[in-house]
Amino acid sequence: MIERPLYMSQLLSFKEYIFEKGTYNLPQKFRDYLEIGSFSRNKKYHVGMYNTIVKNLAENLKVRDIGRLERLLKSDGVKINVRTVESYLKAFCDSHILYKADRYDVKGKKLLKTLSKYYMVDVGLRYLLLGDRQIDTGRMLENIVYLELLRRNRKVYVGKVFEKEIDFVAEGN
C-alpha cells in the first residue's frame, strides 16, 4: 500500500466530482473540474489555501522575499540557485503540494537519478497560479491521471525508453 496524506481522500476524482455536481453538460463540468480542481470548492477557497501554503512554506524555508517564492511558483523567469530550487521542491513535496514521480528506465529496469517530474496536488491550484495564459490541457490531464493512479494505490514513475518518454509506469494491483 502506498502511503498518502490523509487529505488525499478529500480530493475528488472526476467521477466523484460529477456525482456531486450532476452529469448534465459533461464537457462544461470537465472544464470546471480543470479550473476549480478536485477539492470541489471555488476560486476563493483556492486563493485562501494558496496564501496559507505560501506563508507556511516561506516560514519553514526562512524565505525573506515571499514575492520571489511566488514568482518561482508562477514560472516568471526568476533566476535562482539550483540548491535553492531543490530545497523548495523538497519542501513542496514534504508538504504534499507537489508529488515527485521518479524516472524509470524501462529497458534497463532501474530508477534514474535525474529528470523526475512533479505533479500538483490539485489542478485548481495550477490554474490559479497560471490562469488561462498557460493552460495546457495535456499537462492538466497528465496531472489528473497521475493523481488517479495514486488514488488507486499505485507507485507511479515516469518511464523512459531510450530517448522517448512514457507518461506513466505504475506498480500495484
Side-chain angles (χ1 to χ4, degrees), residues 111-123:
L111 283 177
L112 302 174
K113 294 182 182 190
T114 60
L115 302 174
S116 300
K117 287 180 87 170
Y118 294 86
Y119 297 93
M120 294 285 293
V121 68
D122 184 65
V123 293

Side-chain angles (χ1 to χ4, degrees), residues 71-119:
R71 287 191 308 279
L72 175 68
L73 284 169
K74 293 179 182 181
S75 302
D76 280 347
V78 174
K79 296 199 188 253
I80 191 164
N81 178 302
V82 172
R83 289 182 192 234
T84 302
V85 170
E86 288 172 350
S87 72
Y88 286 7
L89 286 172
K90 183 179 181 331
F92 282 114
C93 289
D94 289 348
S95 65
H96 300 287
I97 301 309
L98 289 179
Y99 288 91
K100 180 180 177 184
D102 290 320
R103 194 156 303 255
Y104 182 77
D105 181 356
V106 175
K107 188 140 174 84
K109 298 186 189 294
K110 65 180 179 182
L111 283 177
L112 302 174
K113 294 182 182 190
T114 60
L115 302 174
S116 300
K117 287 180 87 170
Y118 294 86
Y119 297 93

Side-chain angles (χ1 to χ4, degrees), residues 18-93:
I18 60 171
F19 178 79
E20 181 180 285
K21 301 287 185 181
T23 58
Y24 178 74
N25 195 357
L26 281 177
Q28 181 60 48
K29 292 282 190 300
F30 189 68
R31 283 190 295 278
D32 292 346
Y33 183 74
L34 288 177
E35 185 175 332
I36 295 169
S38 55
F39 279 114
S40 188
R41 304 294 191 282
N42 55 39
K43 288 181 186 178
K44 187 176 179 181
Y45 175 81
H46 280 106
V47 170
M49 185 169 60
Y50 168 78
N51 289 335
T52 301
I53 290 165
V54 169
K55 181 182 174 211
N56 289 339
L57 284 174
E59 286 175 14
N60 292 341
L61 293 168
K62 296 174 179 43
V63 173
R64 290 182 294 268
D65 184 357
I66 291 178
R68 184 177 177 159
L69 177 60
E70 288 181 313
R71 287 191 308 279
L72 175 68
L73 284 169
K74 293 179 182 181
S75 302
D76 280 347
V78 174
K79 296 199 188 253
I80 191 164
N81 178 302
V82 172
R83 289 182 192 234
T84 302
V85 170
E86 288 172 350
S87 72
Y88 286 7
L89 286 172
K90 183 179 181 331
F92 282 114
C93 289

